[in-house]
Amino acid sequence: QAVSEKAVAAACEAAHSAMVCPEVAQGEETDMAALRGCLDVSFDGFDFVYAELNKLMSRHHVMPELVDDLNTIKKRINSSLKQVVSLLESLATMQSKQRLALRKYEATATGDTKAKERTVLPQTSLHPAPSAHKPSGVRSLEELRRVWETEGRQKFNSTETFIFDCDGVLWNINDPEKKLPPSELQPKIISKVNELLDNPQKRVIFLTNNSHETRQGFIKKLKGYNLNFGDLEDASVMARVEENMVTAGFTTAKLLKRMGLKRPLVFTSTPGILHELRRCGIEGFVTTFDEDTGKQKEKYMRVCSRDELNTLLMTDEDHQGIDAIVMGWDFNLTTLKIGLAVNLIRWSMDKVEASGAPRIPLITCSSDASGVLGTTSTGGNKIRAVGNGAMGHAVAQCFDPPLEQLFCGKPSMQLLETMQAPEEKGGYGVDLSRALMIGDTIQTDIEFANAGGMASLFVLTGVNSLEEMETEQQPHRRASYILPSFAEV
């Protein structure tokens, strides 16, 4: 409570200072992005504190009355934060009106009739782009290339750590200009990545929200595209490369181990995350995937009904003692599976109220709303996938208010903390201020970069388009630089 109230107070003080500062009185622009950033920290900071306290209270059998007190505090502080947001919006409007009045005065004083014609109410936004080149419209690719040459290349050359998304950046790619087929564009991209891998002064990390494969599986896939990893048959080489391969399955397994959870119910279509769980010493998991046949277990693929759910919940021993729901990327997700997860969580919530027993958390490997499976056989149109995050939301939205999820991939704080943590503490020891995130998805890659204070390079070979990025107004969703593909760095 104290931490959160200090954050609110800091945001209020910043807003008040802005309203009385001389720049506002003179109609000049105030740094609204800084003020909004303060608020974002307040929101995120409180949500983190609340989640941690809630987790501790559930685990240590805290009395229900104290849990109610925590929820009351959350509502009060969120209300305060929303009031500060409203205050900042009012400040933005006031600035616009002051600039308008100032321009009218200057036009009248100087007799500049053209200035009068130009006097319009500007749109003041609380969400300016982090780049100095905030466009009035969608820029051409040539303009973006010029920005890269004049600004981006210097940043690129001084970067120590390059963090690559994989899907839509290194594989599963398309040329936005439709000049080259993927088979010709991909080798050009891989060649640029190899230049970094061969440079002893640079570090390359591969970071994917995909939980289908193990880290070793993804490394072998990248090796198949001719990345210069060396001899992967050498165990020491594989171990070295594996230290720089981060998957949502791996980070999920690490989170479960850290939380002391040993019997999760895992929804997945592939065995990758299951192998990562075993490597973290979590052997007691239950899964919808049959590792022997490579298919979904038949009992989860039936029509959702009272009888089917009753059987799974009451007579199926697999679902006794479940301590977490893990939503992987399950391309066979059914209403029966969702119903099973919802009831297990709901019953655990009832036990929290009755006896203080820990609530079953909903852990989702990544927050992706969507993805790209490939392109159509003719026309080159993207074929979209249902994202892992959307699958988690299918469970969370069955609660009112929607259930809070723990995300383990980009852009979660869990992952940012892991990236920054020293290697001796199980992290990757990355100085994020000297890192560059290369990605194709606004919601995950670019938000992750901005949350960590990293520069970002948005490439147009994957999920999001140039138009979507250029019309994005929220600063935490705007990239530092944009290029058609990584081949052009």
Side-chain angles (χ1 to χ4, degrees):
Q1 180 180 1
V3 170
S4 302
E5 288 184 340
K6 286 181 180 179
V8 175
C12 290
E13 183 178 354
H16 179 264
S17 299
M19 293 187 75
V20 299
C21 72
E23 289 81 0
V24 174
Q26 297 170 14
E28 295 179 5
E29 183 69 33
T30 301
D31 188 357
M32 302 301 293
L35 299 181
R36 184 63 197 226
C38 183
L39 276 178
D40 288 341
V41 170
S42 301
F43 274 114
D44 294 342
F46 176 67
D47 283 344
F48 176 78
V49 170
Y50 172 79
E52 290 297 308
L53 284 174
N54 210 13
K55 183 169 62 180
L56 286 171
M57 293 171 84
S58 296
R59 187 178 298 169
H60 294 290
H61 310 288
V62 174
M63 292 182 295
E65 292 81 5
L66 293 181
V67 177
D68 291 339
D69 288 344
L70 178 62
N71 290 331
T72 300
I73 291 169
K74 180 183 181 184
K75 290 178 182 178
R76 183 164 61 85
I77 293 179
N78 275 339
S79 176
S80 299
L81 286 169
K82 289 176 182 176
Q83 290 176 16
V84 180
V85 171
S86 177
L87 178 64
L88 284 181
E89 295 286 1
S90 298
L91 173 58
T93 302
M94 183 182 70
Q95 284 185 330
S96 296
K97 291 180 178 178
Q98 286 179 333
R99 285 200 300 276
L100 174 62
L102 184 62
R103 291 176 186 175
K104 284 184 176 179
Y105 171 77
E106 291 174 343
T108 303
T110 60
D112 184 355
T113 56
K114 291 184 178 180
K116 291 180 182 179
E117 296 171 359
R118 291 195 302 269
T119 301
V120 295
L121 183 64
Q123 296 296 316
T124 302
S125 173
L126 290 180
H127 310 289
S131 169
H133 296 271
K134 181 176 173 63
S136 57
V138 177
R139 291 172 289 179
S140 69
L141 293 179
E142 289 307 314
E143 289 179 274
L144 295 170
R145 289 179 174 113
R146 284 196 294 271
V147 171
W148 176 257
E149 289 299 329
T150 56
E151 298 179 15
R153 190 169 297 285
Q154 181 178 359
K155 174 64 180 176
F156 185 86
N157 292 336
S158 64
T159 294
E160 291 181 350
T161 304
F162 295 83
I163 303 176
F164 283 89
D165 176 45
C166 296
D167 283 280
V169 176
L170 303 179
W171 66 64
N172 206 6
I173 57 171
N174 294 283
D175 183 359
E177 297 180 284
K178 300 186 183 301
K179 293 180 178 179
L180 295 174
S183 59
E184 293 183 26
L185 177 59
Q186 189 178 41
K188 296 178 182 292
I189 293 172
I190 296 301
S191 175
K192 292 293 184 179
V193 180
N194 279 334
E195 290 178 13
L196 297 175
L197 287 171
D198 294 340
N199 187 336
Q201 304 300 318
K202 306 295 184 182
R203 182 182 183 185
V204 178
I205 295 177
F206 301 96
L207 178 59
T208 176
N209 272 1
N210 195 322
S211 57
H212 288 322
E213 287 277 2
T214 62
R215 286 170 293 158
Q216 289 192 4
F218 279 118
I219 290 168
K220 291 175 181 177
K221 183 173 183 176
L222 288 167
K223 178 71 172 180
Y225 295 130
N226 296 316
L227 280 174
N228 294 342
F229 288 145
D231 182 11
L232 295 180
E233 297 298 320
D234 185 328
S236 63
V237 173
M238 174 60 85
R240 173 179 53 79
V241 177
E242 198 172 21
E243 289 175 356
N244 292 306
M245 181 78 233
V246 188
T247 72
F250 173 59
T251 54
T252 299
K254 288 188 67 174
L255 176 64
L256 288 167
K257 183 176 182 179
R258 194 175 76 193
M259 294 176 68
L261 300 171
K262 299 178 180 179
R263 190 170 172 76
L265 172 58
V266 184
F267 296 89
T268 181
S269 293
T270 54
I273 186 174
L274 308 180
H275 294 317
E276 294 292 3
L277 288 172
R278 289 193 182 96
R279 291 189 65 178
C280 282
I282 302 172
E283 301 277 355
F285 61 81
V286 178
T287 178
T288 60
F289 180 75
D290 189 328
E291 294 184 84
D292 293 329
T293 65
K295 299 178 180 180
Q296 291 293 296
K297 294 176 181 176
E298 191 273 334
K299 66 183 178 182
Y300 297 108
M301 301 306 294
R302 299 168 185 162
V303 174
C304 184
S305 68
R306 174 201 171 279
D307 290 342
E308 292 294 348
L309 281 171
N310 184 69
T311 299
L312 291 175
L313 290 162
M314 301 304 295
T315 64
D316 193 325
E317 293 184 0
D318 281 350
H319 306 122
Q320 307 307 309
I322 295 296
D323 57 10
I325 299 297
V326 174
M327 183 59 72
W329 218 317
D330 186 351
F331 288 130
N332 301 100
L333 191 62
T334 64
T335 52
L336 182 61
K337 292 180 181 178
I338 294 171
L340 175 61
V342 168
N343 279 282
L344 287 170
I345 295 171
R346 177 69 69 183
W347 289 1
S348 76
M349 294 170 72
D350 294 339
K351 290 179 181 178
V352 169
E353 295 178 3
S355 63
R359 176 178 74 79
I360 292 177
L362 173 57
I363 300 173
T364 304
C365 291
S366 71
S367 62
D368 299 65
S370 183
V372 176
L373 294 173
T375 59
T376 55
S377 55
T378 58
N381 296 318
K382 294 178 183 177
I383 298 177
R384 306 279 178 174
V386 177
N388 194 172
M391 296 172 184
H393 285 308
V395 175
Q397 291 294 326
C398 291
F399 295 80
D400 184 20
L403 193 69
E404 293 184 13
Q405 302 174 68
L406 291 175
F407 294 108
C408 299
K410 299 166 290 184
S412 71
M413 290 304 297
Q414 308 267 6
L415 184 54
L416 271 176
E417 291 170 3
T418 300
M419 298 302 292
Q420 294 181 88
E423 293 181 17
E424 59 269 21
K425 293 186 177 181
Y428 290 86
V430 176
D431 179 354
L432 298 181
S433 66
R434 306 199 67 176
L436 178 69
M437 177 75 215
I438 301 99
D440 67 304
T441 307
I442 296 173
Q443 179 200 9
T444 54
D445 303 324
I446 305 307
E447 284 195 24
F448 181 71
N450 288 326
M454 287 182 278
S456 57
L457 171 60
F458 176 67
V459 294
L460 306 176
T461 46
V463 173
N464 288 120
S465 67
L466 175 60
E467 289 74 19
E468 288 170 319
M469 173 57 76
E470 289 284 77
T471 55
E472 180 59 63
Q473 293 300 308
Q474 299 186 53
H476 69 286
R477 291 169 60 88
R478 286 187 61 82
S480 308
Y481 311 102
I482 306 173
L483 282 176
S485 76
F486 191 73
E488 298 200 26
V489 295

